[in-house]
Amino acid sequence: MANCVIVGINWGDEGKGRMVDLLTERFDVVVRYQGGGNAGHTVINEYGKFALHLLPSGIFRKGIVNILGNGVALDPENLWQEMQTVSAQGIVLSPENLKISDRASLLLPWHRDLDELEEARLGDKKYGSTKQGIAPFYSDKYQKKTVLAGELFYPDALRAHLSDLLEWKNLTLTKVYGAKPYTMAKLEEWMEAYCEKLKPYICDTGDFLRSAQMKGKNILFEAQLGSLRDLDYGIHPYTTSSNTLAAYAPIGSGLPSARLDDIVGVVKAYSTCVGEGPFVCELFGDEAERLRRAGAEYGAKTGRPRRVGPLDIVATRYGVQVQGATELALTKLDVLSEMEQIPVCVRYLVDGRETDRFPFPAALGGAKPVLEYMDGWKCDISGVRRWEDLPEAARRYVLFIEEAVGCPITYVSVGPERDSIILRGRNNA
Ligand code: GDP
């Protein structure tokens, strides 16, 4: 039996969806263990192109059981709509291949309202939220002011619980933000429209996972976003509101006793960052626009242009360390093919001193990138499938990163399609 986690090493959007889609072949179960509909995994396969927000990326393979664990921000409206979209594209979803934890908290309609209201209140100091209600949801979860999915099976108790929450939440909505209050009728309409539809999929997924583990099944845990967005270890306060690290996978999945045999960190061949906050290696102007266009760097959920920069060794090494990555997948190497010289951020300059340590969040704003340039390869590599067929300059770039961040790169991705991949060593040799 092998348990594996796929995590983002940087700011998110590293291409995790593509890697999960590739690796699911070897697994029996795929679990999402944190986050919600605020980011998107893009997957391109024989069924078409998909931007998955909540559904685990294993739904495209027959025979795989996909789980939304208790750590996820379960947005019934988004999830139901996403289920409709993928079903319309030919994917068969059923309680056999999709299971929702009865311990997952429901993201309620007011969470999205509060996200918007708070971003508006912050004005130009906004966090750059995707306004999907994730931060208000997790704050309520930790205040124990959410409803668990399994409560849908106890309608009387649920009604009383919702009514208490409604009274409490309306105080914030009306008295803090001057917004309109919710009514029980509105909540009931929402429950009928979305939650009722999800009921057949809700079960004790912890029980299912324990039994899968006992039967020696292979379990893949799928993370959202990346190390630098982790609530505890990221670039606070420009993080997400959940733990994006591999260490959280056992807790958020429903299998707290899980041992993680392999932690695959996904790193993009250059850097991107969505939203606000310090991004030390950021490029601007034409140089940035060329890279953004080459990599089609626009948010999967929001369509927002992503901030771009060269690969950041300082942040990536830190990301690898906090994830405890055992191997890396380097994605989008093909995007750099046009570049004559490839910049890499090798150190930071902080208070006039060069450092290769990732600074404390409050010191990040003053950090400047120290760049080195590597030779480009100036040819199309998207058709390459063997390591030895990559141009030497491309191999040098990969080996340089591997050495600098201290973790083997076992996959090199040269295109978005499932088979645009070069396998290197370790499990893949
Ligand atoms: P995720 O959230 O980490 O899954 O990342 P996103 O889906 O936001 O971003 C990855 C994007 O890059 C998607 O559009 C993928 O189809 C695409 N992609 C992934 N790997 C490669 C690659 O090696 N080359 C190219 N050109 N595109 C890739």
Side-chain angles (χ1 to χ4, degrees):
M1 184 210 69
N3 290 335
C4 173
V5 198
I6 297 197
V7 289
I9 293 295
N10 303 103
W11 297 265
D13 307 314
E14 298 92 348
K16 293 175 293 298
R18 176 251 187 290
M19 287 310 298
V20 182
D21 182 59
L22 175 78
L23 297 184
T24 42
E25 201 175 31
R26 305 180 194 165
F27 293 87
D28 306 296
V29 183
V30 178
V31 197
R32 284 275 314 261
Y33 63 88
Q34 48 79 224
N38 52 330
H41 287 168
T42 311
V43 176
I44 300 176
N45 57 29
E46 69 267 34
Y47 296 102
K49 180 171 179 176
F50 299 86
L52 297 180
H53 303 295
L54 271 161
L55 287 171
S57 309
I59 50 156
F60 302 111
R61 303 255 194 197
K62 289 205 174 65
I64 290 182
V65 178
N66 294 275
I67 293 184
L68 289 169
N70 51 279
V72 161
L74 189 72
D75 181 335
E77 186 174 338
N78 269 356
L79 177 59
W80 180 246
Q81 278 162 4
E82 192 170 321
M83 287 167 71
Q84 300 307 297
T85 309
V86 298
S87 301
Q89 281 178 268
I91 310 297
V92 180
L93 294 176
S94 77
E96 296 308 307
N97 71 350
L98 177 65
K99 297 182 190 294
I100 300 171
S101 168
D102 56 0
R103 285 180 173 270
S105 283
L106 301 184
L107 188 142
L108 295 163
W110 51 59
H111 290 132
R112 218 168 301 157
D113 296 349
L114 285 166
D115 209 347
E116 265 191 41
L117 289 164
E118 179 57 12
E119 283 286 278
R121 189 193 69 80
L122 284 166
D124 59 4
K125 291 188 177 161
K126 66 182 192 297
Y127 287 1
S129 165
T130 53
K131 299 184 189 145
Q132 295 296 310
I134 304 299
F137 164 86
Y138 279 108
S139 6
D140 281 5
K141 175 173 171 173
Y142 284 93
Q143 285 197 76
K144 300 155 292 176
K145 302 271 196 198
T146 48
V147 167
L148 302 184
E151 288 183 59
L152 293 171
F153 298 107
Y154 303 87
D156 293 339
L158 173 62
R159 206 168 188 287
H161 190 185
L162 269 178
S163 158
D164 288 347
L165 292 180
L166 179 83
E167 189 187 324
W168 171 74
K169 194 50 91 181
N170 276 343
L171 289 174
T172 314
L173 283 165
T174 59
K175 298 202 189 302
V176 175
Y177 293 104
K180 271 194 6 207
Y182 268 82
T183 59
M184 201 61 195
K186 196 164 176 197
L187 277 186
E188 274 169 358
E189 202 180 292
W190 172 82
M191 304 255 294
E192 189 61 36
Y194 306 109
C195 302
E196 282 301 313
K197 309 249 176 33
L198 297 179
K199 260 166 115 175
Y201 301 87
I202 298 170
C203 61
D204 183 348
T205 52
D207 194 42
F208 174 85
L209 283 168
R210 280 189 297 279
S211 123
Q213 182 166 252
M214 291 214 328
K215 289 182 196 144
K217 301 281 186 196
N218 297 319
I219 304 172
L220 182 65
F221 302 89
E222 177 183 12
Q224 186 212 44
L225 295 167
S227 315
L228 303 170
R229 300 292 187 194
D230 183 85
L231 178 60
D232 289 86
Y233 294 88
I235 51 172
H236 182 84
Y238 299 98
T239 62
T240 193
S241 303
S242 63
N243 290 103
T244 59
L245 297 190
Y248 187 71
I251 305 258
S253 65
L255 195 59
S257 61
R259 200 190 68 199
L260 306 176
D261 303 293
D262 197 14
I263 300 173
V264 179
V266 186
V267 178
K268 189 144 56 180
Y270 52 94
S271 301
T272 61
C273 170
V274 175
E276 312 295 318
F279 183 41
V280 177
C281 65
E282 184 162 13
L283 287 175
F284 299 94
D286 288 351
E287 213 179 351
E289 195 44 43
R290 270 199 301 277
L291 184 54
R292 185 175 299 118
R293 228 177 290 135
E297 295 298 350
Y298 303 90
K301 178 86 192 177
T302 57
R304 283 190 285 187
R306 293 175 180 152
R307 299 158 77 191
V308 297
L311 188 99
D312 182 335
I313 295 289
V314 183
T316 304
R317 189 188 299 115
Y318 175 76
V320 166
Q321 285 165 355
V322 290
Q323 291 287 11
T326 56
E327 56 186 303
L328 296 178
L330 186 73
T331 61
K332 294 193 135 181
L333 189 64
D334 54 304
V335 170
L336 304 182
S337 294
E338 292 296 308
M339 292 171 95
E340 202 82 52
Q341 292 270 292
I342 301 176
V344 185
C345 171
V346 288
R347 286 177 296 283
Y348 288 174
L349 192 63
V350 181
D351 291 335
R353 282 222 197 123
E354 288 196 9
T355 177
D356 47 22
R357 286 195 56 177
F358 192 68
F360 182 75
L364 270 171
K368 299 271 171 291
V370 177
L371 300 183
E372 278 179 13
Y373 288 82
M374 299 193 64
D375 288 339
W377 43 94
K378 296 284 291 165
C379 64
D380 181 8
I381 56 168
S382 59
V384 176
R385 296 291 176 266
R386 296 188 319 170
W387 172 248
E388 53 274 29
D389 295 338
L390 269 181
E392 199 186 332
R395 275 185 279 150
R396 263 207 306 271
Y397 185 67
V398 177
L399 292 174
F400 172 80
I401 299 167
E402 182 174 85
E403 168 82 21
V405 305
C407 188
I409 295 175
T410 50
Y411 302 86
V412 179
S413 172
V414 290
E417 304 81 14
R418 195 179 270 173
D419 68 339
S420 303
I421 195 91
I422 297 167
L423 307 178
R424 274 189 82 219
R426 293 256 305 206
N427 302 337
N428 310 315

